[in-house]
Amino acid sequence: MWLTGALIAAAGTMVYIELGTGLPRSGGEKNYLEFIYRRPKFLVTCTFSVYALITGSAAANSVVFGEYVIHSLEMTPNRWNTRLVGLLCMTFCLLAHGTMHKFGLRFQNALGFSKLLILFAISASGLFCLVGVPGFAVREGYEKPRNFEWDKMWEGSRRGVNAFVTGMYSVIWSFTGYANANYALSEVKDPIRTIKRAAPLAMLFVTMVYMFVNIAYFAVVSKGDILESRTIVAALFFRNLYGPTTEKMLSIFVALSVLGNLLAGQFVQGRVIQELGREGILPYPSLLASNKPFNAPLAGLFTQYLVSCAFMLLPPPGDVYLFMISLSSYSSTIINTSVAIGLLLLYAPTYRIWEWNPPFRAPKAIIVLFFLSNLFLLIVPLIPPSNGSRVYEHLPYSLHVFVAYLVSLIGISYWYVRCIWIPRKKGCKLERHWMLQEDGVPRFVFKEIPQE
């Protein structure tokens, strides 16, 4: 499953390198979808604006951060203490990137480096345990794993296609960073050269690390402990190898690596919402587009903060993490499918007038593979799970699918009211003009032009 997820992510990396080199500016999918789907006017921008809030939510990782912090304090994680810590974590991310721009970046990069060290430590320790290096054996009192025995490996597994896709969403969600650089290309020095070189190397490195970390977990932690731990497998890994004292201490380091992930995600997400504000479609565009008062997209970050808080606090316990991952992944799959179709259309005779000629071109077979894999991930979740199998503990199996398409409906409804119904009622049409705000930020503004 991890190899399949890596192949899909690698295909996505190639697709996004082509799009990023062809349109090398901040905004990511917003730019690509607007460039490809130009009619009806503003429909893509309105719909993508709502999706951006969903896919950029920090709720899932904030819950994981909360669970590791509570675990390190030798407390029992529950619905409210983990979410309270998660709320404090999201507030810190908001303040770090919204009011202390340079500090936030430095701290984010430092945590990113520490995360690499932790992953390397897990990989090396697990491999040493697997080959029997002295000093790296599972301690007495903990269940010895038998995860590499063929008759035990698949014991208790769900074999339905719906279960496969649910697991695949979690795997792909781990790889979603392959498109992060595209959201902030305007802030990258020599973006075309950088993304062409850095993205494939990063993808290769991350895939190797993920594979070794999974082998390490299976070598040290039993299947029963993995299933019961849900999101704190790393803590059990260190406990089994180095004892409970080390487990608590290293849980803090794992929590900090999750914090680094959150900071990186919110850094780019604030800029996506800022770019949407500059389009003039969203309410309060001058506020969302502005860098005041701390020379950072505080308004965009705060908007994302409110959405993340709602998604973290509202779902029932036991389902919040999986629901957020599934919703975010399914929404991303809808966007990726549209992007893949659009990129194929750019090579059709009808679209050649747009002169799409990027410095890097993904092979057509890779684009088709990316499209088909995402199409598969769109269709299969609609199939009911097999008897005795459940996607969620308390929620309908297809709730994330329903919510993802509801997001589309909200975006389309907003577009119709904002761009069609209101102008028609006023007897005017909308025209968009470029302007420069008082704080020096350029953005679009809409003007109502009376129709004769």
PDB file of all heavy atoms in Angstrom, residues 61-74:
ATOM      1  N   ASN A  61      -3.590  16.943  12.348  1.00  0.00           N
ATOM      2  CA  ASN A  61      -2.261  16.953  12.951  1.00  0.00           C
ATOM      3  C   ASN A  61      -2.267  17.567  14.343  1.00  0.00           C
ATOM      4  O   ASN A  61      -1.455  17.202  15.191  1.00  0.00           O
ATOM      5  CB  ASN A  61      -1.274  17.704  12.053  1.00  0.00           C
ATOM      6  CG  ASN A  61      -0.607  16.786  11.045  1.00  0.00           C
ATOM      7  OD1 ASN A  61      -0.544  15.579  11.240  1.00  0.00           O
ATOM      8  ND2 ASN A  61      -0.108  17.349   9.967  1.00  0.00           N
ATOM      9  N   SER A  62      -3.163  18.517  14.585  1.00  0.00           N
ATOM     10  CA  SER A  62      -3.251  19.121  15.915  1.00  0.00           C
ATOM     11  C   SER A  62      -3.715  18.099  16.950  1.00  0.00           C
ATOM     12  O   SER A  62      -3.251  18.101  18.096  1.00  0.00           O
ATOM     13  CB  SER A  62      -4.212  20.313  15.892  1.00  0.00           C
ATOM     14  OG  SER A  62      -3.720  21.340  15.057  1.00  0.00           O
ATOM     15  N   VAL A  63      -4.630  17.218  16.558  1.00  0.00           N
ATOM     16  CA  VAL A  63      -5.076  16.147  17.451  1.00  0.00           C
ATOM     17  C   VAL A  63      -3.919  15.197  17.759  1.00  0.00           C
ATOM     18  O   VAL A  63      -3.718  14.778  18.910  1.00  0.00           O
ATOM     19  CB  VAL A  63      -6.257  15.378  16.827  1.00  0.00           C
ATOM     20  CG1 VAL A  63      -6.589  14.137  17.642  1.00  0.00           C
ATOM     21  CG2 VAL A  63      -7.482  16.282  16.732  1.00  0.00           C
ATOM     22  N   VAL A  64      -3.119  14.870  16.741  1.00  0.00           N
ATOM     23  CA  VAL A  64      -1.956  13.998  16.954  1.00  0.00           C
ATOM     24  C   VAL A  64      -0.970  14.666  17.911  1.00  0.00           C
ATOM     25  O   VAL A  64      -0.439  14.027  18.834  1.00  0.00           O
ATOM     26  CB  VAL A  64      -1.269  13.679  15.615  1.00  0.00           C
ATOM     27  CG1 VAL A  64       0.000  12.863  15.859  1.00  0.00           C
ATOM     28  CG2 VAL A  64      -2.208  12.908  14.710  1.00  0.00           C
ATOM     29  N   PHE A  65      -0.722  15.960  17.703  1.00  0.00           N
ATOM     30  CA  PHE A  65       0.162  16.700  18.603  1.00  0.00           C
ATOM     31  C   PHE A  65      -0.354  16.619  20.038  1.00  0.00           C
ATOM     32  O   PHE A  65       0.411  16.366  20.978  1.00  0.00           O
ATOM     33  CB  PHE A  65       0.243  18.162  18.144  1.00  0.00           C
ATOM     34  CG  PHE A  65       1.060  19.040  19.054  1.00  0.00           C
ATOM     35  CD1 PHE A  65       2.435  19.121  18.914  1.00  0.00           C
ATOM     36  CD2 PHE A  65       0.448  19.800  20.041  1.00  0.00           C
ATOM     37  CE1 PHE A  65       3.193  19.934  19.756  1.00  0.00           C
ATOM     38  CE2 PHE A  65       1.185  20.615  20.884  1.00  0.00           C
ATOM     39  CZ  PHE A  65       2.560  20.678  20.742  1.00  0.00           C
ATOM     40  N   GLY A  66      -1.655  16.830  20.212  1.00  0.00           N
ATOM     41  CA  GLY A  66      -2.247  16.773  21.538  1.00  0.00           C
ATOM     42  C   GLY A  66      -2.090  15.412  22.188  1.00  0.00           C
ATOM     43  O   GLY A  66      -1.781  15.306  23.380  1.00  0.00           O
ATOM     44  N   GLU A  67      -2.264  14.333  21.408  1.00  0.00           N
ATOM     45  CA  GLU A  67      -2.156  12.990  21.962  1.00  0.00           C
ATOM     46  C   GLU A  67      -0.734  12.686  22.433  1.00  0.00           C
ATOM     47  O   GLU A  67      -0.537  12.069  23.490  1.00  0.00           O
ATOM     48  CB  GLU A  67      -2.617  11.961  20.929  1.00  0.00           C
ATOM     49  CG  GLU A  67      -4.125  12.007  20.675  1.00  0.00           C
ATOM     50  CD  GLU A  67      -4.588  10.918  19.738  1.00  0.00           C
ATOM     51  OE1 GLU A  67      -3.717  10.276  19.104  1.00  0.00           O
ATOM     52  OE2 GLU A  67      -5.808  10.698  19.646  1.00  0.00           O
ATOM     53  N   TYR A  68       0.265  13.120  21.662  1.00  0.00           N
ATOM     54  CA  TYR A  68       1.648  12.875  22.070  1.00  0.00           C
ATOM     55  C   TYR A  68       2.024  13.693  23.305  1.00  0.00           C
ATOM     56  O   TYR A  68       2.733  13.209  24.192  1.00  0.00           O
ATOM     57  CB  TYR A  68       2.607  13.187  20.914  1.00  0.00           C
ATOM     58  CG  TYR A  68       2.851  11.997  20.015  1.00  0.00           C
ATOM     59  CD1 TYR A  68       2.243  11.907  18.775  1.00  0.00           C
ATOM     60  CD2 TYR A  68       3.668  10.947  20.422  1.00  0.00           C
ATOM     61  CE1 TYR A  68       2.452  10.799  17.950  1.00  0.00           C
ATOM     62  CE2 TYR A  68       3.892   9.848  19.608  1.00  0.00           C
ATOM     63  CZ  TYR A  68       3.268   9.788  18.376  1.00  0.00           C
ATOM     64  OH  TYR A  68       3.476   8.681  17.578  1.00  0.00           O
ATOM     65  N   VAL A  69       1.570  14.939  23.375  1.00  0.00           N
ATOM     66  CA  VAL A  69       1.877  15.763  24.545  1.00  0.00           C
ATOM     67  C   VAL A  69       1.228  15.176  25.793  1.00  0.00           C
ATOM     68  O   VAL A  69       1.873  15.045  26.847  1.00  0.00           O
ATOM     69  CB  VAL A  69       1.408  17.219  24.316  1.00  0.00           C
ATOM     70  CG1 VAL A  69       1.499  18.023  25.615  1.00  0.00           C
ATOM     71  CG2 VAL A  69       2.254  17.885  23.239  1.00  0.00           C
ATOM     72  N   ILE A  70      -0.053  14.814  25.705  1.00  0.00           N
ATOM     73  CA  ILE A  70      -0.746  14.223  26.847  1.00  0.00           C
ATOM     74  C   ILE A  70      -0.089  12.911  27.258  1.00  0.00           C
ATOM     75  O   ILE A  70       0.081  12.612  28.447  1.00  0.00           O
ATOM     76  CB  ILE A  70      -2.239  13.995  26.512  1.00  0.00           C
ATOM     77  CG1 ILE A  70      -2.947  15.342  26.286  1.00  0.00           C
ATOM     78  CG2 ILE A  70      -2.928  13.218  27.613  1.00  0.00           C
ATOM     79  CD1 ILE A  70      -2.947  16.261  27.480  1.00  0.00           C
ATOM     80  N   HIS A  71       0.314  12.117  26.261  1.00  0.00           N
ATOM     81  CA  HIS A  71       0.977  10.847  26.548  1.00  0.00           C
ATOM     82  C   HIS A  71       2.300  11.078  27.274  1.00  0.00           C
ATOM     83  O   HIS A  71       2.642  10.333  28.216  1.00  0.00           O
ATOM     84  CB  HIS A  71       1.213  10.082  25.244  1.00  0.00           C
ATOM     85  CG  HIS A  71       1.803   8.725  25.432  1.00  0.00           C
ATOM     86  ND1 HIS A  71       1.073   7.640  25.867  1.00  0.00           N
ATOM     87  CD2 HIS A  71       3.070   8.265  25.253  1.00  0.00           C
ATOM     88  CE1 HIS A  71       1.856   6.579  25.938  1.00  0.00           C
ATOM     89  NE2 HIS A  71       3.075   6.923  25.581  1.00  0.00           N
ATOM     90  N   SER A  72       3.054  12.095  26.889  1.00  0.00           N
ATOM     91  CA  SER A  72       4.346  12.373  27.531  1.00  0.00           C
ATOM     92  C   SER A  72       4.181  12.824  28.969  1.00  0.00           C
ATOM     93  O   SER A  72       5.099  12.678  29.787  1.00  0.00           O
ATOM     94  CB  SER A  72       5.102  13.441  26.735  1.00  0.00           C
ATOM     95  OG  SER A  72       4.457  14.698  26.843  1.00  0.00           O
ATOM     96  N   LEU A  73       3.013  13.380  29.306  1.00  0.00           N
ATOM     97  CA  LEU A  73       2.734  13.837  30.672  1.00  0.00           C
ATOM     98  C   LEU A  73       2.136  12.727  31.532  1.00  0.00           C
ATOM     99  O   LEU A  73       1.694  12.982  32.663  1.00  0.00           O
ATOM    100  CB  LEU A  73       1.773  15.037  30.634  1.00  0.00           C
ATOM    101  CG  LEU A  73       2.286  16.287  29.905  1.00  0.00           C
ATOM    102  CD1 LEU A  73       1.193  17.343  29.829  1.00  0.00           C
ATOM    103  CD2 LEU A  73       3.517  16.841  30.604  1.00  0.00           C
ATOM    104  N   GLU A  74       2.129  11.499  31.000  1.00  0.00           N
ATOM    105  CA  GLU A  74       1.603  10.331  31.702  1.00  0.00           C
ATOM    106  C   GLU A  74       0.138  10.505  32.080  1.00  0.00           C
ATOM    107  O   GLU A  74      -0.314  10.076  33.148  1.00  0.00           O
ATOM    108  CB  GLU A  74       2.450  10.017  32.951  1.00  0.00           C
ATOM    109  CG  GLU A  74       3.903   9.710  32.618  1.00  0.00           C
ATOM    110  CD  GLU A  74       4.690   9.254  33.834  1.00  0.00           C
ATOM    111  OE1 GLU A  74       4.092   9.190  34.933  1.00  0.00           O
ATOM    112  OE2 GLU A  74       5.888   8.970  33.692  1.00  0.00           O
TER     113      GLU A  74
END
